[in-house]
Amino acid sequence: DANSEALEFFGKTANDVKGASFLSLFPDMPSDNAKAVLERKLRDIQPGVKTSVCVKFERGGEAGHTAEVRIGGVTLEGRILAQVSLNDISDRVRAEESLRREQSRVLSIIDTVPFDFWACDASGTFILQNSRSVASQGPMIGRNVFAAYAGTPGYLADVRRADGARKKGDASFR
């Protein structure tokens, strides 16, 4: 029943939390700054309008957690009520930060190679170019490789051969 579920989750019964401030239910979450943001969003709630905000919080005295708080307004018996859900996205945030660090590391390595380096997506659009390539060929990101090198058939033949190898799953580009 709702009372036992609330008692297990909040340490209070459903009757105890009825009408309580949302933020009072989570004394260790969120930070004072996040509380101010949430209080403002809760104060400005309108029926049918949904918003979300990410907040940092502690769990069991351990900092570094992130929650996505989704807030929506509903009307019940003539009163505007806030419908709030909290989703712990700490693992996702840590994975995204790790991915950004790894991307930065790989891009740094690519940028320091002593030759022109670029990459295209499957449609032939430049998606990556190191600084040496930019210096020798100008900015190419967003341009089509076949249009950019239309005047150099030998170079385009190499690009087409590499593209054919990619389509076959052969990375040997002979």
Side-chain angles (χ1 to χ4, degrees):
D1 92 315
N3 272 316
S4 59
E5 287 180 23
L7 185 60
E8 182 181 334
F9 188 75
F10 297 115
K12 299 177 183 182
T13 68
N15 292 332
D16 292 336
V17 300
K18 187 175 182 179
S21 158
F22 168 73
L23 296 175
S24 71
L25 301 176
F26 301 96
D28 62 343
M29 191 294 293
S31 66
D32 289 341
N33 184 46
K35 282 182 183 175
V37 170
L38 289 173
E39 286 172 350
R40 187 171 55 253
K41 292 204 177 277
L42 287 167
R43 189 176 46 250
D44 297 337
I45 196 76
Q46 294 296 317
V49 177
K50 295 179 181 177
T51 187
S52 67
V53 62
C54 289
V55 295
K56 299 283 187 191
F57 69 100
E58 289 184 9
R59 175 177 287 152
E62 179 186 308
H65 293 278
T66 304
E68 179 182 35
V69 182
R70 294 180 185 193
I71 304 168
V74 294
T75 304
L76 181 66
E77 298 174 358
R79 294 177 51 201
I80 299 173
L81 303 176
Q83 199 172 33
V84 180
S85 69
L86 209 96
N87 186 22
D88 185 342
I89 58 170
S90 302
D91 290 339
R92 186 185 88 198
V93 168
R94 282 190 286 276
E96 288 170 352
E97 288 169 354
S98 177
L99 178 62
R100 277 191 293 277
R101 282 191 306 273
E102 189 61 21
Q103 273 182 316
S104 177
R105 188 179 77 79
V106 168
L107 290 174
S108 178
I109 291 167
I110 289 170
D111 204 44
T112 59
V113 296
F115 51 84
D116 286 8
F117 183 93
W118 51 263
C120 293
D121 64 13
S123 69
T125 303
F126 286 98
I127 58 169
L128 179 67
Q129 185 180 23
N130 71 357
S131 57
R132 187 171 178 131
S133 175
V134 172
S136 68
Q137 301 176 44
M140 304 294 267
I141 304 294
R143 294 180 57 195
N144 182 278
V145 67
F146 300 106
Y149 293 113
T152 54
Y155 197 73
L156 280 180
D158 290 341
V159 170
R160 284 192 178 93
R161 188 172 66 245
D163 187 47
R166 177 195 58 82
K167 288 177 182 172
K168 290 186 224 171
D170 176 11
S172 60
F173 294 49
R174 301 183 261 299

